[in-house]
Amino acid sequence: MEKLVWSVIFIFCVLFSFKTEAQIASIDSLEVELKLAKEDTARLRIYVDLIELYDKLSPSEKAMQRVLEGLDLAKRTGNEFAQAKLMQFRGQIYNELYRSDYDGALSFLAQSIQLHRKLSKANPGNFAQQREIVSVLNSTGYIYWQWGKLVTSLFYYDSTIRLGNKLRLIDSTDFRTNRLLGIALNSKGAVLWGLGNYSEAIESYIEASAYFEQLGMTKFLSLAMSNIGLIYESWGQKEDALFYFKRAVSLAREAEDQSATGYALNNMGSFMRSAAQYDSALYYFQLSLEEYAEDNIGGIWLNLNGFGKTYAKMKAYDKSLDYFFKALLLAEETNSDYRRALAKESISATMADKGDYKNALQYANESNAIAEKYGYKEIIKDNYLNISRMYSLQNNYQKAYETYQRYSEVKDSLFSDEKFRQITFMKEQFEAEKKESENELLRRDSLLRDQDLQRARLEQYGLIILLIAMLTFGGYFVVTNRKIKGINKVLTGKNLEITRQKEELALQAEALRKSNEIKNLMFSIVSHDLRGPIVNLGGLVGLISNESISKEEFQKLLPTVLTNIGSLTALTDNLLYWARSQMEGIKAVPQKFDIKEHLGPKMQLYERAALEKGIICIDNLEPATMVYADPYMVELVVRNLISNAIKFCNAGDTITTSSKEANGFVEVTVEDTGQGIPPEYMERIFNDIQFTTLGTKNEKGVGLGLMMSKHFVEVIGGRIWVESIFKKGSSFHFTIPVS
């Protein structure tokens, strides 16, 4: 897994400019100016310029001393703008000096934001003031990112981009604003990558690279090219990845920037490792390490991890573990949760390869505890795969299968993120079809209006001619009057036809809208809810085909497999039957049948699922109760109601199915003692196609079953309703005609 690089990309973008002699001389020159300056205003300006250089080039104890001196002077002179700016530098320099105390650094940045916003409120039109807020938000996002708190980091980067875009509306040519936007977009891409959202990540990288290219920021452009290459590599597009990696190396060397060059070379090493060219990989990692300065923790950590992974591929496990433990030590020193989780995952995988399953399992669980806390999906996925493999090697096949299912679920989630743009494109195609159809309706409506207007004009001309004719040929009044009545009758008929066509077009437009809503829902269900169970079953087949479990162990897992297949079958039946009913106008095929005799065997299919949750099912259907309806529709309704009851019951609850005959109908009731329905949901459960909630064990639904049940009950001539007391249980009732 190469996504570990997110935690250092922004370090390169902001903090590690190469220290030239000329830049150091600038610091010395400002130090001299500071000693000579007498006026407070001049001294404060020099403090701000000097500390900005220290922040970029030499975040040291001396730099912190100058910050405190500058802040003292700013407070004495009442210059709140300088206070806010210096407080930002204090947070950034503090972060570099005390890398594990993120709270301390963030507290200084929070004070800076508070001061800047106070000044901005007093002077809302001050462009420079707003830009300073963008800068502090960007720095805050970086520190949360370095800490491993990705979701919070993403919030601050989004805030940076949102405010920066507002400033671009005022002045799109401002270099500092555009630079900050490019950096924030590049960093946002890295954070999205860390969260497993690859599609949005690459969009952020591409947008960032456009800014860097426009501004001539070659070093930054190199970083963006590396990041794009990493995503292409994760998608398996090796040629595209190699193109971007080579371009990144070329740009970094053109910029003569050591940190960017080190980063690009490290990515080349990772690429060579994935291509099984291990000697070349080690060569590139060594070149990368030589480019990084001794205080560049991120760069050093990247290469320690790179060496460790490469030696693991070469089966030199002791060497591999040596590098991984060094990487873990560095992660502990810098208090980076992401690096800590990733190092432990790597140690676990290597120990498992070595046969040390006990310690491997311990490190995997420790890694997962951190990864699940912060949402590091890629690490969670790899840990579950490692744990499943270890359980299998220890002949604990039940746990191996359960863990493999979790791995499949996380992998499926990442798959959905990666395929986001493909699904969106398919939806956009349907939206385009919808728009085109709507446009056609509008064109036809416009044509009808033109025809109507033309007829109105003809009528006017006709009336004028008739009036002249009446004045000229009074003797023909009676005949002319009859002709006018005839014309009016024809026009009235045509107007009625136009009105009918308009109403028909409106009905077609509404039908088209509903059809597109159904299509979009089908995409959602097929792309996730239907695919997930299939992936889980595929995982089990994979374990069998790889001979990770024996036939005997498979027999033990068979009940779980059958339950999964039953759930998948029920979902598929619902999906296909609902789609058919909506798109073809399904019709009932009624016949006489005994409801107890027909439904009894079908209800037994759900007993296993109920027993697994500790739920008791009771069949109180009256025997010899004849009804006249479509038996398959009735069966689908009952199956959905029982399945829904199981979903919202806990261990010890009961589900009772009963029936009674009255007034020419049989009333079927599915009653449970589960958690009931909140009052605010009662109106939605039969009417909202996308309404669904999690079950008592986080079971998912697709919001289709109850709405489909209502539709089928109405098709067979019955009605359906629900009675529920929240946290006490629910009773679903529906009626079936007797004849």
Side-chain angles (χ1 to χ4, degrees), residues 273 278 281-282 285 305-315:
R273 182 179 66 241
Y278 302 128
L282 294 173
F285 289 137
N305 195 72
F307 280 121
K309 284 185 173 293
T310 306
Y311 280 119
K313 288 285 186 181
M314 297 169 72
K315 303 188 185 305

Side-chain angles (χ1 to χ4, degrees), residues 590-596 598-599 621 625-631 633-635 637-638 658-669 712-714 716-721 733-739:
Q591 62 186 66
K592 277 278 187 182
F593 66 95
D594 184 330
I595 191 168
K596 171 86 170 181
H598 183 76
L599 293 180
L621 290 172
T625 302
M626 302 301 292
V627 294
Y628 184 72
D630 187 317
M633 286 187 178
V634 173
E635 179 188 329
V637 173
V638 172
S658 60
S659 63
K660 63 180 181 180
E661 185 175 348
N663 302 321
F665 287 89
V666 170
E667 180 184 321
V668 178
T669 300
F712 287 161
V713 168
E714 290 172 351
I716 64 175
R719 67 186 186 93
I720 187 169
W721 68 98
H733 311 265
F734 72 95
T735 59
I736 313 170
V738 172
S739 60

Side-chain angles (χ1 to χ4, degrees), residues 450-689:
D450 289 343
Q451 291 173 351
D452 197 9
L453 182 61
Q454 187 175 3
R455 290 189 186 98
R457 287 174 180 169
L458 289 172
E459 184 179 359
Q460 289 175 353
Y461 295 150
L463 288 172
I464 292 170
I465 293 169
L466 287 172
L467 181 60
I468 294 172
M470 287 172 64
L471 293 172
T472 307
F473 307 103
Y476 296 99
F477 174 77
V478 176
V479 176
T480 302
N481 185 50
R482 289 175 180 174
K483 287 184 178 180
I484 290 173
K485 287 182 178 180
I487 291 171
N488 283 337
K489 185 177 180 181
V490 171
L491 288 174
T492 300
K494 290 187 176 180
N495 284 333
L496 289 173
E497 176 64 18
I498 291 169
T499 302
R500 188 193 64 77
Q501 289 183 10
K502 285 183 178 179
E503 291 174 352
E504 185 180 327
L505 290 173
L507 290 173
Q508 289 176 2
E510 177 61 18
L512 180 64
R513 185 191 66 77
K514 289 183 178 179
S515 175
N516 274 279
E517 184 179 324
I518 294 296
K519 289 175 184 175
N520 287 339
L521 179 66
M522 294 306 136
F523 273 126
S524 173
I525 296 170
V526 171
S527 66
H528 188 272
D529 298 281
L530 189 58
R531 184 180 180 275
I534 294 173
V535 169
N536 287 340
L537 292 173
L540 179 63
V541 174
L543 288 173
I544 299 168
S545 64
N546 293 330
E547 298 183 354
S548 297
I549 62 173
S550 64
K551 291 182 179 178
E552 292 75 17
E553 293 297 333
F554 175 70
Q555 290 294 327
K556 294 179 183 178
L557 294 174
L558 197 55
T560 306
V561 176
L562 291 174
T563 300
N564 286 346
I565 291 173
S567 301
L568 182 59
T569 302
L571 174 59
T572 305
D573 284 347
N574 282 347
L575 180 62
L576 295 177
Y577 220 78
W578 175 253
R580 183 183 163 199
S581 73
Q582 294 298 305
M583 295 178 184
E584 296 181 7
I586 195 167
K587 295 180 181 179
V589 183
Q591 62 186 66
K592 277 278 187 182
F593 66 95
D594 184 330
I595 191 168
K596 171 86 170 181
E597 184 179 306
H598 183 76
L599 293 180
K602 307 294 190 302
M603 290 165 59
Q604 292 174 7
L605 295 173
Y606 287 88
E607 287 183 1
R608 181 178 294 279
L611 287 173
E612 285 182 359
K613 290 186 70 172
I615 301 165
I616 301 169
C617 288
I618 302 171
D619 179 5
N620 281 343
L621 290 172
E622 290 292 331
T625 302
M626 302 301 292
V627 294
Y628 184 72
D630 187 317
Y632 190 67
M633 286 187 178
V634 173
E635 179 188 329
L636 277 174
V637 173
V638 172
R639 280 166 50 185
N640 273 303
L641 295 181
I642 294 176
S643 176
N644 200 60
I646 293 171
K647 178 180 174 183
F648 294 106
C649 280
N650 290 299
D653 285 328
T654 60
I655 299 171
T656 304
T657 308
S658 60
S659 63
K660 63 180 181 180
E661 185 175 348
N663 302 321
F665 287 89
V666 170
E667 180 184 321
V668 178
T669 300
V670 177
E671 182 178 6
D672 67 70
T673 60
Q675 64 184 30
I677 304 168
E680 63 270 22
Y681 292 167
M682 291 290 285
E683 293 297 322
R684 299 182 62 187
I685 57 175
F686 287 123
N687 300 307
D688 190 342
I689 198 168

